[in-house]
Amino acid sequence: MANTSPQVPITVAYGDGIGPEIMQATLDIIQAAGANLAIEVIEIGEKVYLSGNTAGIAPEAWESLRRTKVFLKAPITTPQGGGFKSLNVTTRKMLGLYANIRPCVSYNPFVATKHPIMDVVIVRENEEDLYAGIEHQQTPEVIQCLKLITRPGSEKIVRYAFEYARQYGRKKVTCFTKDNIMKQTDGLFHKVFDEIGEEYPDLEKEHWIVDIGAAKLADTPENFDVIVMPNLYGDILSDVAAQITGSVGLAGSANIGAEVSMFEAIHGSAPRRAGQNLANPSGLLLGAVQMLVHIGQGDIAEKVHNAWLATLESGVHTYDIFQEGVSKQKVGTKEFAQAVIAHLGKVPAQLKAVSYAKAHETIRVTLKPAVPVKMETVGVDVFLYCDDRNAQKFGERLEKIQNADFHLYMVTNRGVKVYPGGMSETFCTDHWRARFKSDNHVSYQQIINLLQQVHDADFQIIKTENLCRFDGVDVFSAGQGA
Ligand code: NAD
């Protein structure tokens, strides 16, 4: 088949479980359509993990990824336990794949769905939030996971969402956060959304608290267009969104970085379906379509996508979307791929045909220059372990520490003020926070002096957090009930 596009090197991993079957089907289809690719194959996943590599990826595989900068990846199986780190999370973070783009579209009436009109793109922040993976057990009863939201991380993903909306002719960008509770972290994400949104007057903008936003998405997805959100909400809600289109097996996923990008299906390796020529290759195929657009072979992407839509219309379906009365033929992975190949050059009659004719430029995101801030430290939260749950006694003991620079402002347990003036009903664990405040800026030496006194008074310090004031504004949360 004639193709004027230059050959583009890509790295391919066949993955585990159903991975090899759906990858073969995907490559067969895109190559039959004329994709011009120089493929390097790498081994990742279960075999690599079980050979003793806890990351699931060998150094030569990294080299290939950093050389080609384009990764088409089948799902892999992460072995349970044994300290195995998720390869997906590692790849996304090591290669800076900050934007996870998950289009979720319903194909009514050809795929059964409760939501016949649905065409939502989830833009999920892909590197931060609770996925920083920084967890510590601090006391016998309490474990902590750090939720990190950064200004550059938020700026990158929010700007990507707006640029994506413009480039793909979308009308509205919605942001989901939980900033009524997480006022600092999710508050920053929301603030950045509002700030950057001002630069896109052509697009409608809205923000929902994630709980009611999720409920609305599951109930009336036709009211949404592009939705941008922090990592955890995006992870959960993109599966929900994909599933309510009819099947999680239908959605592709692009992980975009400034240098390298990775394309995959949303779903996992479905080990129980492996090796039986059963799996639906559509999710990975649509991931490959996103890849073709990304590498400048939008004409091939369009041809593949429209042939796939026409195949769905023809009623040739894999088991997961087969429905009596609608589907005409239940086929396996290979036969489905053959059917898509047979439809190359056709466009759907009823479903909306796609067009990638306007060669989509790679979205490049630049950060606003950092604005210098005046940073002051005005106190310290000292986290303490104590097995005795008497808050009044605990507070009074702390009160005895005499330090001219600080005063004990409050003691909390799981964020709730328990001293002074706590309530006997408040449940206490063995994990306490003593907030010491100062009327002036304090040095770290002054904090160390205070910590020495706390230590000398026989308290068991777990960790500390400085209380900061940026440009005269306190940037730490208040205690509940304080
Ligand atoms: P899964 O997505 O693999 O499978 C869930 C169920 O969905 C399957 O049992 C099957 O009924 C159905 N299904 C999924 N994909 C399908 C397809 N293409 N065609 C037909 N039916 C399909 O989720 P799981 O069972 O929770 O996870 C299995 C493994 O996959 C785990 O080891 C997990 O760590 C891994 N996983 C990998 C990725 C990835 O590599 N991107 C993502 C998620 C899960």
Side-chain angles (χ1 to χ4, degrees), residues 19-42:
E21 297 161 77
I22 60 172
M23 180 58 83
Q24 198 53 58
T26 297
L27 291 176
D28 287 349
I29 296 166
I30 64 174
Q31 285 178 323
N36 203 4
L37 307 168
I39 293 173
E40 292 185 16
V41 176
I42 58 167

Side-chain angles (χ1 to χ4, degrees), residues 18 73 75-78 88 264 267-270 272-273 280 319:
I18 58 171
K73 176 185 153 293
I76 56 152
T77 303
T78 311
N88 282 329
E264 57 184 345
H267 62 77
S269 58
R272 283 188 305 127
R273 310 284 178 190
N280 186 347
Y319 83 93

Side-chain angles (χ1 to χ4, degrees), residues 227-360:
I227 314 179
V228 63
M229 45 191 140
N231 204 340
L232 180 64
Y233 314 141
D235 192 2
I236 297 168
L237 292 182
S238 58
D239 266 39
V240 172
Q243 185 67 26
I244 65 174
T245 66
S247 167
V248 74
L250 291 177
S253 165
N255 299 266
I256 308 290
E259 301 276 329
V260 183
S261 296
M262 171 170 89
F263 303 87
E264 57 184 345
I266 282 191
H267 62 77
S269 58
R272 283 188 305 127
R273 310 284 178 190
Q276 299 159 60
N277 190 36
L278 279 176
N280 186 347
S282 299
L284 186 59
L285 182 67
L286 293 185
V289 165
Q290 290 175 292
M291 177 191 77
L292 291 168
V293 175
H294 177 80
I295 63 174
Q297 298 186 15
D299 51 340
I300 309 296
E302 185 174 313
K303 195 171 174 184
V304 170
H305 202 153
N306 283 328
W308 176 78
L309 290 167
T311 309
L312 283 190
E313 280 187 351
S314 76
V316 176
H317 292 165
T318 43
Y319 83 93
D320 56 316
I321 55 168
F322 184 87
Q323 41 170 340
E324 290 295 345
V326 175
S327 306
K328 302 231 163 49
Q329 203 187 343
K330 193 190 276 184
V331 293
T333 316
K334 279 188 201 144
E335 296 71 25
F336 184 78
Q338 288 310 317
V340 178
I341 291 169
H343 281 89
L344 286 171
K346 300 207 170 81
V347 289
Q350 211 175 318
L351 294 169
K352 196 170 153 228
V354 297
S355 167
Y356 300 116
K358 280 191 266 165
H360 291 287

